[in-house]
Amino acid sequence: LPEYMVPAAYVVLERFPLTPNGKIDTQALPEPVIEQWEVEGYVAARTPEEAQLAEIWEEALHIKRVGITDNFFALGGHSLLAARVLARMQTVFGVAIPLKTLFTTPTIVELVPLLLSESAHKTGKAIEKISEPDTPLLLSYAQERMWFFEQLQPNNPLYTIVLAVRLPRTLNMTILQRSVDRLILRHESLRTTFVNTPTGPVQIIAEQCPVLINVIQLQSVAETEREQVIQQYAEQAAHCSMNLERGPLFYITAIAAQNETVLLITQHHIISDGWSVEVMLQDLLMIYEAYISSSDPILPELLIQYADFAVWQRGQFQEAVAAQQTAFWLEQLSGLPQLLQIPADFSRPAAQTFRGKRHTFIIEQTVTQKLTALSRNEGVTLFMTLLSAFEILLQRYTRQEEFIVGTVVAGRQRPELERLIGFFVNTLPLPAKLSGNPSFTALLERTKHIVLEAFANQDIPFEHIVEAMQPKRDLSHHPLIQVMFVLQNTRLGTLEDDQTMQVIEVESGSTQFDFTLEITETAHELHASFVYASDLFSPATVQNMAKRFICLLSNIAETPHQAIKDFSLISPEEYRRIIDRNTLFETDYSNRAYLPEAVEAAAQKNPNGLAVAQGEKQLTYAELTAHAKRLARQLTELGVGPEVVVGVCFERSIELVVALLGVWYAGGAYVPIDPEYPVE
């Protein structure tokens, strides 16, 4: 073969008999062969199963041609795309392949024999559609969790989802309204409400649920002010509360401006999730495009609806599966701290207020490319790489080597669920284990194992895990999980091939957790956000944490084989500034008196001088030292001396100054305690 051929080409050609002139001997090819196609002058052949699998990958990865030896993850695949591919494979081949298998055999030529083997796990019975339910429609486990939260805090906008997208054209509002009507008719979730009965909450699916589009005209608004006005409307939508019993739980606002339309799609989380938002937008635009061209929309048929899934889920999640997955999570989480506390700026409130803020930042293109290449070389996804880096950041701040980080999974392992709108997402508590100071690449291997095992046991609802773990319930924080990591890599559809939509970030002003890192993949870089509880952290603290994370990622990208504790969170420029500042203000304290001695010296020199004041109350140096020494004598009688610490719990006051000085005069050390801290 010619020397310039890439190694992958050898693998393809070796599988087939060749003629003396180097061409494939088509007469001796193994049967059956579905097609032959030529790449750069060389012919390759694929079996029917390989061709079918390649077509599934090409559609999911948005790639025109996939070779049978191409690595799924090297082509840009990730966990979410893998879930879609595995669901399609179930439909086509009738075989359920675990996600872990796709990591160990990530090429078509390796997967096809597994799909055709007699030991392959055949897909169970498909989810059936309930024609006329004779019993009330129960909620899915995820919906039940959401309904319970809603009873605790009714009409709370915490679970309001808002998608804001800018379309580069003016839409026909009459056609758009007609499209929305058709969308609601297609998806039962959009016309579902939830009522409480003596036996518990049930779903009520209306035959019709008209939702009128709220049209806002901004043609007269100056372009310089338009973005601010759009953002105000988006934030209003995010703060919209919905009544689960009355409904509707789905609204659309269309903001019309010159040569563009901004759609605000508002839903309650109990009927939707991130994947559903993508499905909804794609369906809506496909219906609109059909109507605008005076044709009937052609959409993939929905074999079932969300209520059918809810019934199936409760029947499918049998005791054996529940026991097996519960045992897995108990083993994984046993012994891990159930409260991860990042050092906060403010005392934790007795009950969560869910007030939150967002700080956004960008991970630049060069670092993103290196992290992507590192992930590919180590056989992991970008999700696993970024999760590992985030765990290192948390370890530096908390000084804990083992803790729990939450994440979410799509919850759509079944092929029937791919095109549905509904609440399928589930929360997983991932154990972070950083003991032993491993290299980053070694940590990646740990993370890969933990994530794949967790994904293999994702069927159990998060509430069941909490129930099994029985953590101490506390209204001040979320059970088991206080910190979340989410990588957003869904692709919103396009209105036309050459016109892409722009997603507008909406500030909701709320958060369920202490801290969440959200990262979104774009074509060239990573867009990241820290969503944080504003009751705990100040904006300056979070901005500083973002700088540390960016620096950490840069160092990981350059030296991934370095031990994790050796990574610096400070840039070289910042380090030089610290050194220069320390040198500039360097002071020799070797001959200085200790503070108690300095105060006493001041009292001898100027006994009537003002030492401390609080409003109208004042103490001279003589009075201050007298009070402090009187307290010191009492403390000494109680056993205070060197190596003894004394708790000091005062509001900001003159008495606080006396107390601190008195402890020092007694020879002890004080431990400041904020009166707002919990009793413990």
Side-chain angles (χ1 to χ4, degrees), residues 463-679:
E463 302 71 41
H464 286 48
I465 300 175
V466 174
E467 224 174 273
M469 290 295 296
Q470 296 184 337
K472 182 181 177 182
R473 294 289 186 163
D474 193 328
L475 293 177
S476 67
H477 58 79
H478 198 280
L480 293 185
I481 296 172
Q482 295 83 47
V483 175
M484 289 284 289
F485 172 72
V486 180
L487 179 64
Q488 303 281 8
N489 40 31
T490 57
R491 296 179 179 179
L492 293 175
T494 56
L495 187 60
E496 293 177 358
D497 291 340
D498 59 342
Q499 291 184 318
T500 1
M501 298 175 296
Q502 177 191 357
V503 179
I504 302 173
E505 188 175 280
V506 180
E507 181 56 65
S508 67
S510 62
T511 178
Q512 302 175 47
F513 303 93
D514 292 357
F515 215 83
T516 300
L517 172 58
E518 296 179 356
I519 299 181
T520 303
E521 288 189 68
T522 67
H524 305 294
E525 59 197 9
L526 298 173
H527 291 194
S529 293
F530 278 144
V531 182
Y532 60 97
S534 52
D535 288 332
L536 298 178
F537 305 102
S538 68
T541 295
V542 178
Q543 290 169 15
N544 186 56
M545 189 177 288
K547 291 180 182 177
R548 303 283 169 255
F549 187 58
I550 291 172
C551 181
L552 175 62
L553 290 177
S554 299
N555 290 331
I556 288 172
E558 294 296 331
T559 55
H561 297 287
Q562 186 170 288
I564 60 174
K565 290 186 179 179
D566 292 339
F567 286 115
S568 175
L569 271 61
I570 300 176
S571 66
E573 296 77 12
E574 187 178 5
Y575 182 78
R576 282 194 296 272
R577 286 199 302 271
I578 293 172
I579 296 300
D580 293 343
R581 185 173 58 189
N582 288 347
T583 304
L584 180 64
F585 293 102
E586 205 169 68
T587 305
D588 181 13
Y589 289 97
S590 59
N591 297 320
R592 302 288 184 96
Y594 294 115
L595 185 56
E597 297 171 351
V599 173
E600 192 165 1
Q604 293 174 357
K605 183 177 180 181
N606 185 17
N608 296 321
L610 179 61
V612 58
Q614 181 187 23
E616 299 297 324
K617 297 174 65 175
Q618 297 182 348
L619 287 182
T620 65
Y621 276 105
E623 292 169 333
L624 175 61
T625 54
H627 286 308
K629 287 182 178 180
R630 187 181 304 118
L631 175 61
R633 287 193 294 273
Q634 293 176 315
L635 292 174
T636 302
E637 292 173 1
L638 293 171
V640 175
E643 306 301 325
V644 176
V645 292
V646 179
V648 177
C649 184
F650 279 95
E651 300 290 351
R652 190 177 180 90
S653 61
I654 287 179
E655 288 77 16
L656 173 61
V657 180
V658 173
L660 302 185
L661 197 56
V663 172
W664 278 334
Y665 278 143
Y670 72 86
V671 177
I673 302 173
D674 191 323
E676 293 185 4
Y677 285 169
V679 173

Side-chain angles (χ1 to χ4, degrees), residues 153 155-162 234-235 237-241 269 352-359 506-516 518 529-535:
Q153 299 214 355
N155 302 321
N156 191 324
L158 178 65
Y159 295 104
T160 299
I161 300 175
V162 176
E235 291 179 10
H239 289 85
C240 167
S241 61
H269 207 340
Q352 282 180 284
T353 67
F354 304 106
R355 287 190 292 261
K357 291 184 179 179
R358 178 184 296 269
H359 172 69
V506 180
E507 181 56 65
S508 67
S510 62
T511 178
Q512 302 175 47
F513 303 93
D514 292 357
F515 215 83
T516 300
E518 296 179 356
S529 293
F530 278 144
V531 182
Y532 60 97
S534 52
D535 288 332

Side-chain angles (χ1 to χ4, degrees), residues 61-83:
L61 295 166
H62 296 272
I63 295 176
K64 290 185 177 180
R65 178 159 288 167
V66 172
I68 59 175
T69 58
D70 288 339
N71 185 299
F72 176 80
F73 298 100
L75 293 172
H78 48 68
S79 299
L80 185 58
L81 284 178

Side-chain angles (χ1 to χ4, degrees), residues 104-170:
T104 55
T105 54
T107 65
I108 292 174
V109 72
E110 293 172 301
L111 273 175
V112 166
L114 295 178
L115 292 171
L116 301 179
S117 68
E118 294 183 0
S119 61
H121 176 63
K122 301 300 180 183
T123 304
K125 190 177 180 182
I127 302 175
E128 295 180 350
K129 185 171 184 62
I130 305 170
S131 54
E132 291 292 338
D134 51 2
T135 58
L137 292 172
L138 298 180
L139 281 60
S140 69
Y141 291 118
Q143 285 181 324
E144 194 173 63
R145 173 178 84 236
M146 189 64 62
W147 181 87
F148 176 74
F149 287 145
E150 190 72 23
Q151 306 315 299
L152 291 177
Q153 299 214 355
N155 302 321
N156 191 324
L158 178 65
Y159 295 104
T160 299
I161 300 175
V162 176
L163 172 68
V165 289
R166 176 179 281 109
L167 306 176
R169 62 187 266 195
T170 302

Side-chain angles (χ1 to χ4, degrees), residues 268-508:
H268 196 287
H269 207 340
I270 200 168
I271 65 164
S272 185
D273 55 21
W275 186 312
S276 299
V277 168
E278 180 183 354
V279 171
M280 179 184 300
L281 196 58
Q282 288 177 343
D283 283 3
L284 178 62
L285 295 178
M286 288 174 68
I287 295 169
Y288 179 86
E289 286 299 312
Y291 282 159
I292 208 74
S293 60
S294 301
S295 58
D296 194 52
I298 301 176
L299 296 172
E301 181 185 0
L302 298 181
L303 301 177
I304 61 170
Q305 293 285 341
Y306 186 86
D308 304 319
F309 160 76
V311 172
W312 172 85
Q313 184 192 46
R314 289 184 173 274
Q316 178 72 13
F317 196 62
Q318 299 168 349
E319 289 186 9
V321 178
Q324 176 188 346
Q325 296 200 9
T326 299
F328 167 81
W329 286 108
L330 285 173
E331 181 183 355
Q332 290 294 305
L333 303 178
S334 177
L336 295 180
Q338 296 180 358
L339 180 61
L340 175 65
Q341 287 190 330
I342 303 172
D345 299 299
F346 314 111
S347 303
R348 184 182 291 275
Q352 282 180 284
T353 67
F354 304 106
R355 287 190 292 261
K357 291 184 179 179
R358 178 184 296 269
H359 172 69
T360 59
F361 56 99
I362 292 177
I363 301 165
E364 62 180 22
Q365 182 176 356
T366 54
V367 175
T368 299
Q369 290 174 341
K370 290 179 180 179
L371 293 174
T372 302
L374 170 64
S375 304
R376 188 182 304 121
N377 294 338
E378 296 299 322
V380 300
T381 61
L382 187 60
F383 170 88
M384 297 172 185
T385 300
L386 294 171
L387 172 62
S388 299
F390 185 44
E391 290 175 349
I392 294 174
L393 183 75
L394 293 174
Q395 186 266 339
R396 294 292 185 89
Y397 272 83
T398 63
R399 299 298 178 187
Q400 293 175 245
E401 293 187 334
E402 293 190 348
F403 47 86
I404 297 172
V405 177
T407 192
V408 293
V409 288
R412 299 184 189 236
Q413 298 94 307
R414 303 282 304 192
E416 305 97 314
L417 309 178
E418 185 173 352
R419 296 297 307 178
L420 288 185
I421 291 175
F423 184 24
F424 296 93
V425 70
N426 190 24
T427 302
L428 297 183
L430 301 178
K433 299 184 178 181
L434 287 75
S435 58
N437 192 26
S439 67
F440 184 76
T441 50
L443 177 62
L444 273 181
E445 191 60 34
R446 288 187 195 178
T447 303
K448 176 182 177 180
H449 174 75
I450 289 170
V451 169
L452 291 179
E453 290 297 323
F455 284 2
N457 291 272
Q458 63 173 285
D459 298 319
I460 183 170
F462 176 68
E463 302 71 41
H464 286 48
I465 300 175
V466 174
E467 224 174 273
M469 290 295 296
Q470 296 184 337
K472 182 181 177 182
R473 294 289 186 163
D474 193 328
L475 293 177
S476 67
H477 58 79
H478 198 280
L480 293 185
I481 296 172
Q482 295 83 47
V483 175
M484 289 284 289
F485 172 72
V486 180
L487 179 64
Q488 303 281 8
N489 40 31
T490 57
R491 296 179 179 179
L492 293 175
T494 56
L495 187 60
E496 293 177 358
D497 291 340
D498 59 342
Q499 291 184 318
T500 1
M501 298 175 296
Q502 177 191 357
V503 179
I504 302 173
E505 188 175 280
V506 180
E507 181 56 65
S508 67

